[in-house]
Amino acid sequence: MRLGRIASPDGVAFVSIEGDAGQETCREIAEHPFGTPTFTGRSWPLADIRLLAPILASKVICLGKNYAAHAEEMGGTAPEDPVIFLKPNTAIIGPGVAIQLPADANPVHHEGELAVVIGRPCKDVPAPRAAENILGYTIANDVSARDQQQQDGQWMRAKGHDTFCPVGPWIVTDLDPANLDLQTTVNGQVRQQSNTALMIHDVGAIVEWVSKVMTLLPGDLILTGTPEGVGPIEDGDTVSITVSGIGTLTNPVVRKGK
């Protein structure tokens, strides 16, 4: 199932997105998409509505250096244990919404990632039972101001700006995350090309590690790390991240003040 969140002439709603490419229909879900969703009977063609970020997370947990080649390109080695950090939920934007580059940040990099969407409250989840607590998977861009990251010595400001967490276009519930192709392009030029099979810590291990630290709530996002090929984005660029089995998340880039 593909779960989305839309703005229609009738307001904002969660939907199930059904049908073949170019002929999709959005069926409105009553209340929320967790558990077994029920439907209101209303629907819209996908072409007639606007896709929003597919979930409103209480928190966004991110993994750093979860691909060995990315750790190497950043001048280090991958740590033995997962390294986690938080983005504020105010950084979340949906497909088509502009990534806004701060006037005082340069360079700002894209980081294409597979994102896990938590489906129910959970704590201390063993890796073999991670799937029981996952609603599905989506795509995310862990946008990062590299100069601020280096200046601060920690990552909150560099990765926490408004618009620095594009998410979408929807959530896919019936997906095996173990072997998915991931590609990031900027203005059509391939920057990142990898596969989730190369993650150092797989989804089960990630959920186990994170849930030992904090209680996870329905809708929480876990960004699973980015592969090598990160690079700068500039005013006027268009960034697209494609993950096989999910789709493509595309966002324009603008510099604040323009």
Side-chain angles (χ1 to χ4, degrees):
M1 179 181 288
R2 286 182 294 173
L3 299 171
R5 189 168 149 265
I6 67 165
S8 77
D10 298 316
V12 174
F14 288 106
V15 295
S16 172
I17 302 168
E18 303 170 2
D20 297 331
Q23 299 180 336
E24 298 99 330
T25 297
C26 299
R27 295 177 61 205
E28 185 179 40
I29 294 172
E31 298 181 352
H32 59 73
F34 305 105
T36 303
T38 58
F39 297 92
T40 66
R42 297 197 300 177
S43 64
W44 304 268
L46 179 61
D48 293 348
I49 57 83
R50 179 166 60 93
L51 285 171
L52 306 174
I55 204 70
L56 294 175
S58 74
K59 53 188 173 290
V60 182
I61 307 102
C62 307
L63 251 73
K65 300 181 180 179
N66 197 31
Y67 289 78
H70 172 60
E72 183 178 350
E73 78 176 347
M74 298 302 291
T77 58
E80 181 177 348
D81 293 325
V83 173
I84 59 174
F85 59 94
L86 292 172
K87 279 181 177 280
N89 58 12
T90 48
I92 295 172
I93 56 174
V97 179
I99 299 167
Q100 298 183 32
L101 307 179
D104 61 348
N106 189 43
V108 176
H109 283 190
H110 62 79
E111 293 191 7
E113 310 199 10
L114 175 71
V116 177
V117 184
I118 296 299
R120 64 185 188 184
C122 57
K123 182 75 169 73
D124 296 322
V125 178
R129 300 190 63 182
E132 301 172 21
N133 299 280
I134 293 171
L135 175 65
Y137 301 89
T138 188
I139 303 169
N141 188 350
D142 176 19
V143 182
S144 306
R146 294 295 184 215
D147 57 338
Q148 295 179 359
Q149 189 175 358
Q150 294 172 1
Q151 177 182 344
D152 294 353
Q154 49 85 20
W155 303 350
M156 189 66 187
R157 178 170 69 121
K159 292 172 174 281
H161 289 277
D162 290 354
T163 77
F164 270 28
C165 190
V167 179
W170 40 63
I171 299 162
V172 177
T173 61
D174 50 348
L175 188 67
D176 182 348
N179 184 24
L180 302 176
D181 291 328
L182 186 154
Q183 181 186 84
T184 302
T185 66
V186 178
N187 304 327
Q189 178 183 6
V190 176
R191 293 274 190 87
Q192 295 180 279
Q193 185 78 57
S194 191
N195 188 285
T196 58
L198 297 175
M199 290 196 301
I200 297 167
H201 307 286
D202 65 15
V203 167
I206 293 168
V207 172
E208 179 176 298
W209 181 268
V210 173
S211 68
K212 284 181 180 178
V213 178
M214 65 192 77
T215 299
L216 297 171
L217 301 176
D220 281 352
L221 289 166
I222 303 177
L223 277 54
T224 59
T226 197
E228 74 277 11
V230 300
I233 50 177
E234 305 288 351
D235 181 58
D237 285 347
T238 298
V239 184
S240 293
I241 303 164
T242 300
V243 175
S244 58
I246 301 178
T248 300
L249 169 67
T250 298
N251 297 89
V253 181
V254 300
R255 178 70 65 176
K256 281 186 178 180
K258 290 197 172 186

